Amino acid sequence: MHSGPAVFGHARLKIVDLSDSANQPMSNASCMLVFNGEIYNYKELREELSGHYAFETSSDTEVILAAYQQWGEECFSRFNGDWALAIFDGSRQRLLLARDRFGIKPIYFHQAETSLLFASEISALVAGGVIPEISRDALLMAMRLRKNEFHDRTLASNIHVVRPGCFMTVDADGRSTEHRYYDDSILAGGGQAASSHDLLEQFDHLLVDAVALRYRADVPVGVCLSGGLDSTCIVAAARRAGKEVVTFSAGFPGEAADESEYFNAVNAHFGNEAVVRTSYPAGNILDSFETLVHQQDAPQGSLDTLGRCFVLDDAARQVKVVLDGQGGDEIFGGYGACYNLSRQMADERGLVPLDIDLYNRNVHKNRENPDFNAWF
């Protein structure tokens, strides 16, 4: 689809409103949109906007168009979700690229003298003719830190990334400007100190609500379960929200890294339907590895991702959406660096210290703790 100088294309994974009328690119009288992700509070926003916009679909995509028409760039602050999106505003002859608050969904771009290419994957830019110019400094940092994604750049000096919590505007003359609509420093300060009990109650509510919102889909939803704290919390929150849960796990019988004891215990406790992979295509491991490299677009710091690909391959045969615990270690202080930093921030700001020593140990060795059992 094209509008003026802008040409948009999209490969859709149908999650909300499975009808063809919700396909992308989507346009209205003044704007054209492509969007990757999901706006979880789209129903509430739709109700708020219903008096200002005549909806033709039940999709979250059209809610984005309506929200932008009503509130302009301020609409991003109203979205609860993860997204990478592009809007061409025909009335202003302006392109807008936006990314969710924490950069869950990526959006890459390459800007030349007379054009700008953008995509949700680097490989798509390469397919469009961009030849990556590998940055020596970025590559060395990636090898040292085992990181393949940075806050404001990629491994290629000529391929850039819209930063988390930001949107970028590109005018007709090619001038681009970055704008920040969210600053995560809000998480570290301000507000009135609360008791540990009140903080846990608030977190309890937020977690269950967040998981329930992510079950908003017109297709089956599952959970990747390792048996650790983060994925177990997601399963527990889903059950508390009244959801039926199907889990997907990887077992390695006889290996030290096998976590079957833990995810089997969680599935037995909640009575989940479970899909467990215990065999792997050793003869095709190199083929699988090449597929992984292509899908990831960048060097990986661990082969753990390969195991996850097998689990997700199993999940794709049964569901269209999976929730998992990626990011849970940062929230719960599971990594030593995150744990020490959270302690330091609490001390410096006079906040209630995070009482996470219990959770920093193996959660399944603490079942006798009454607080733990009360939550689950």
Side-chain angles (χ1 to χ4, degrees):
M1 181 181 291
H2 69 88
S3 175
V7 179
F8 284 1
H10 186 267
R12 184 185 178 200
L13 174 65
K14 295 182 178 181
I15 297 175
V16 175
D17 187 345
L18 309 185
S19 68
D20 289 342
S21 61
N23 286 348
Q24 300 182 47
M26 183 178 287
S27 63
N28 58 18
S30 60
C31 294
M32 180 172 63
L33 166 72
V34 285
F35 158 58
N36 177 35
E38 186 173 350
I39 306 302
Y40 301 119
N41 63 332
Y42 76 97
K43 291 184 177 180
E44 289 78 8
L45 292 174
R46 179 190 174 95
E47 182 176 352
E48 186 175 355
L49 291 163
S50 60
H52 308 278
Y53 191 93
F55 287 95
E56 298 180 1
T57 74
S58 57
S59 69
D60 54 341
T61 305
E62 191 175 15
V63 169
I64 295 175
L65 278 174
Y68 178 75
Q69 179 175 298
Q70 181 68 22
W71 300 308
E73 296 91 345
E74 293 183 5
C75 67
F76 304 128
S77 298
R78 296 173 178 258
F79 294 161
N80 178 353
D82 50 79
W83 68 86
L85 63 84
I87 296 174
F88 181 72
D89 189 333
S91 62
R92 300 184 184 183
Q93 290 294 290
R94 185 184 68 173
L95 174 68
L96 185 148
L97 304 177
R99 193 176 180 189
D100 60 67
R101 292 171 180 81
F102 297 103
I104 298 172
K105 298 297 184 183
I107 183 166
Y108 305 98
F109 66 93
H110 167 78
Q111 191 163 16
E113 290 185 5
T114 60
S115 65
L116 182 142
L117 300 177
F118 67 90
S120 58
E121 296 181 3
I122 293 177
S123 57
L125 295 179
V126 175
V130 178
I131 300 176
E133 299 173 0
I134 302 301
S135 166
R136 181 185 179 92
D137 292 340
L139 181 59
L140 289 174
M141 185 175 294
M143 295 173 66
R144 180 180 179 183
L145 302 178
R146 296 196 300 172
K147 290 184 60 176
N148 57 29
E149 182 69 65
F150 300 94
H151 188 63
D152 57 354
R153 56 178 169 157
T154 69
L155 296 180
S157 59
N158 60 335
I159 297 178
H160 308 282
V161 60
V162 177
R163 295 195 296 172
C166 295
F167 67 90
M168 185 178 79
T169 56
V170 184
D171 296 322
D173 60 4
R175 182 169 53 91
S176 60
T177 307
E178 183 182 78
H179 311 263
R180 175 165 290 281
Y181 69 88
Y182 177 79
D183 189 342
D184 58 14
S185 64
I186 190 174
L187 300 175
Q192 185 176 359
S195 68
S196 296
H197 178 269
D198 289 342
L199 290 174
L200 287 173
E201 287 288 326
Q202 182 180 6
F203 183 82
D204 176 31
H205 169 75
L206 289 173
L207 180 60
V208 174
D209 181 64
V211 171
L213 282 176
R214 281 154 179 77
Y215 264 80
R216 283 184 169 177
D218 297 325
V219 293
V221 179
V223 179
C224 287
L225 176 65
S226 68
L229 176 64
D230 41 16
S231 59
T232 301
C233 282
I234 292 174
V235 171
R239 298 295 295 203
R240 290 184 60 189
K243 307 298 182 182
E244 292 296 322
V245 177
V246 54
T247 65
F248 300 89
S249 308
F252 302 90
E255 300 293 333
D258 184 51
E259 298 177 311
S260 299
E261 174 189 358
Y262 306 130
F263 61 69
N264 285 337
V266 175
N267 285 322
H269 181 81
F270 290 108
N272 302 324
E273 177 185 347
V275 176
V276 179
R277 175 182 279 265
T278 57
S279 61
Y280 305 88
N284 299 325
I285 194 70
L286 291 180
D287 293 338
S288 301
F289 185 74
E290 290 178 0
T291 300
L292 171 66
V293 171
H294 172 73
Q295 292 174 340
Q296 293 295 313
D297 273 348
Q300 297 297 296
S302 169
L303 283 176
D304 292 348
T305 308
L306 185 58
R308 291 189 71 243
C309 281
F310 288 128
V311 173
L312 293 175
D313 186 52
D314 293 338
R317 296 186 177 92
Q318 193 165 336
V319 300
K320 285 293 184 181
V321 177
V322 290
L323 310 183
D324 65 25
Q326 295 297 309
D329 286 299
E330 287 83 352
I331 294 175
F332 290 108
Y335 295 127
C338 295
Y339 174 78
N340 293 331
L341 178 61
S342 63
R343 281 293 201 188
Q344 179 183 344
M345 291 172 60
D347 292 341
E348 290 177 352
R349 292 170 172 78
L351 303 176
V352 175
L354 297 177
D355 188 13
I356 58 179
D357 293 283
L358 167 65
Y359 304 114
N360 208 40
R361 299 189 294 272
N362 190 319
V363 66
H364 297 284
K365 294 179 181 178
N366 294 283
R367 294 179 184 150
E368 70 279 2
N369 185 285
D371 292 333
F372 177 82
N373 285 321
W375 204 88
F376 290 104

